[in-house]
Amino acid sequence: MSDPRFEQFLGRAIGLNAASIGSSAIERAVAARCKACKLGDIQAYWELLQNSDEEVQELIEAVIVPETWFFRDAQAFAALARLVMRGLPQADAIRPLRLLSLPCSSGEEPYTIAMALLDAGLTAGQFRIDAIDLSARSLALARQGVYGRNSFRGQNLAFRDRYFDATKDGHRLRDAVRAPVEFSQGNIVAPDFHADPAGYDFVFCRNLLIYFDGATQKHVIGVIRRLLAPDGIAFVGHSEAGLMGANGFTSAKIPMAFAFHRESAKPGATQARPVPSPPIHRPRREPPPLAKSRPVLPQSPRHEEKREAALPNLEELRLLADRGRLQEAALGCEALIRRDGATPDALALLGLISDASNDLGAAERYYRKALYLDPANAEALGHLALLLKKQGDHGGAKLLDERLRRLDKRRVR
Ligand SMILES: C[S@@+](CC[C@H](N)C(=O)[O-])C[C@H]1O[C@@H](n2cnc3c(N)ncnc32)[C@H](O)[C@@H]1O
């Protein structure tokens, strides 16, 4: 039976909700620390904890969950790259982008942000990433920048060849990716917690809120609001998206990116509002992606009639995709196309769904079909450019980027 004093202590110190990792995990951590300190009983360890900041940090290291990897929930980084690409001409003229990764754990997240921005064509001088975490141990690993197999998951590991050197200790990150990232230690629930007062254009606060209770989640979401520039965008983990909506943030409606604007939607604004870009980026119509083309099951004529009459519109399908219901969204798109004929927006959405489902071949086909019907379709152009870059076709991507820029200029005039 766990001693509730330790759970309460950790709750006050770092916001940890014992239920999120289980009381037994805390019990095991306390027992292990007690043993490491060569203390015979829990009471003696409790007293040590009251008098030693070092031991508090050791206990924290024993209970935190540092799990992370490169390009985790990759659509967030693709969305970031798209948003930034749109504003590049402005970014040159104004100031470097400011980004925050908190919690950054052992560095995979902030370094992924750096790789995504470098891939999108930015130079290291055009952005700065503050990376903060509670764990001194994780930060030491982050600063080392050498990673083992666990940090590289999934099929698409082309980034490893571009940005790492293989060594006997693991893959060592190259300096170009390390340079724009600045690590520091911080506890987001501490009353004296502070970060760049100028405000961040993008805050990545992913897979942290899940460890807090309701009151702490509310508090931390308030901190995220304070940290963001007025037009900034916050990215959270997929199971944290509902919390942001419930606490006054507005979804940026980018499927699978779990991205939110600081400001609430204005009264009367439609759900399909285009994504306003962060300060440096010129807003353009925000795209949305979706998944694999799947056959729609044959229906009886009457059933078919009813189902078609109740078909969601394209914006509703975007919302579905945004919530991760990719297959439903894809089926809806296909049904819409059968009923109304193919439109560039529906095809671009199917491209995005395929992209999000890692079916890159289908994604490319959908984007190209959308562009065949409308060569100025910004969603398809932007996403296809990123896709080509991801596949190493930098020449093709450059041509599409140039087309996008020309379109932007025309719109501004
Ligand atoms: C699961 S990792 C998430 C890392 C990364 N954001 C991701 O999504 O892959 C959770 C991290 O939160 C950090 N953490 C926990 N409580 C924190 C707090 N109060 N302030 C800052 N960081 C905290 C832990 O040290 C751990 O590295």
Side-chain angles (χ1 to χ4, degrees), residues 188-212:
I188 198 169
V189 304
D192 60 349
F193 174 79
H194 70 280
D196 190 339
Y200 291 96
D201 302 309
F202 298 98
V203 170
F204 281 71
C205 185
R206 306 190 316 157
N207 304 301
L208 177 65
L209 294 168
I210 42 171
Y211 296 107
F212 299 146

Side-chain angles (χ1 to χ4, degrees), residues 13-16 60-61 64-69 72-73 101-106 108-110 132-136 138 185-190 193 204-208 210-212 216 220 237 240:
I14 61 167
L16 180 67
I60 290 172
E61 299 288 353
I64 53 136
V65 180
E67 180 82 349
T68 186
W69 59 93
R72 177 180 194 175
D73 293 332
S101 164
L102 190 177
C104 65
S105 191
S106 36
E108 286 87 333
E109 181 178 275
I132 302 178
D133 200 279
L134 186 62
S135 163
S138 299
Q185 195 174 7
N187 175 359
I188 198 169
V189 304
F193 174 79
F204 281 71
C205 185
R206 306 190 316 157
N207 304 301
L208 177 65
I210 42 171
Y211 296 107
F212 299 146
T216 313
V220 168
E240 300 163 330

